[in-house]
Amino acid sequence: MTDSTDLALAHCLADQADDVARHYFRAPGLRAEDKRDGSPVTEADREIEQALRASIRAEHPGDAFVGEEFGAHGQSSRRWIIDAIDGTASFLAGEPEWSTLIALEEHGAVTMGMVSAPALGRRWWAAPGGAAWMGPCPSDPSAPPRQLTLTAGGNAKDAAIGIWPPPSRLSETERAVAARLAAGTAAVLPAVDWSTVDPTTPPPRKPSTGSGTCHGALLVATGKADAFLLLGAGPWDIAALIPIVEEAGGTFSDLSGQRRTDTGAALFARPGLHQQLLNMAEAPN
């Protein structure tokens, strides 16, 4: 179980990431390279991941580490899972909805999650049994954090769901899942045809754009969406969000109903909706 020192370290790591990111954000001449999956990466992504790995090694030399940019290092029952900048495209565009995701996994279970969005001035965090919180970033004693608490979601047919990434970045099987959820719920963001790829359609905006959060799962945790499906994801895209959504009262699983971060799919939902949505996502016999 994560103790207070781990959570304190996570806040320090988030502060460190924020400082590096602010140095690069909206800086003239910031360039990106395309990775093999077509997503962008910048010097800021790499510098943050290297800095956090060094800080974790200094505090807990026996802990393992996995990050999006430099992969896995070490073997341990404790593993830190880092996404240096989630939303690099927004970061490059000078838009504020990007964040650093920090999670701690112990004996295969995520026991702490932290999301820091310095350009929005907000941070979200949680550990099992310790509730989910949203507070200012950097911390401000005059503005204490607010506990996140979700109410039941009712019928999935009335739900608003976010799905990401867009159809052009999904496999045929993934598009079919997304299309079934879009057809079975009341509203979907982005509002596109999830069953096909239309090269003439401009790239849609993420479900979180304009919401004041920077990840679709935070829309669920803060009660601004009923559910969020993330496809083609790595553990670093998912892990930090699990405690935040669950401690707020929501639910998480992959599309088979397992609480795993290594299958590429993550479904976050308001309480009472999860199984309904999983049933809806299943291919008909």
Side-chain angles (χ1 to χ4, degrees), residues 131-166:
W133 303 90
M134 179 177 73
C137 166
S139 60
D140 180 356
S142 67
R146 176 171 69 88
Q147 185 174 347
L148 304 177
T149 305
L150 293 174
T151 56
N155 194 317
K157 293 180 179 179
D158 301 320
I161 184 170
I163 303 175
W164 196 255

Side-chain angles (χ1 to χ4, degrees), residues 48-72:
I48 290 170
E49 185 169 317
Q50 289 173 327
L52 299 195
R53 186 168 72 244
S55 294
I56 290 167
R57 186 185 299 120
E59 292 291 329
H60 296 288
D63 286 3
F65 180 101
V66 62
E68 181 175 11
E69 309 309 335
F70 296 104

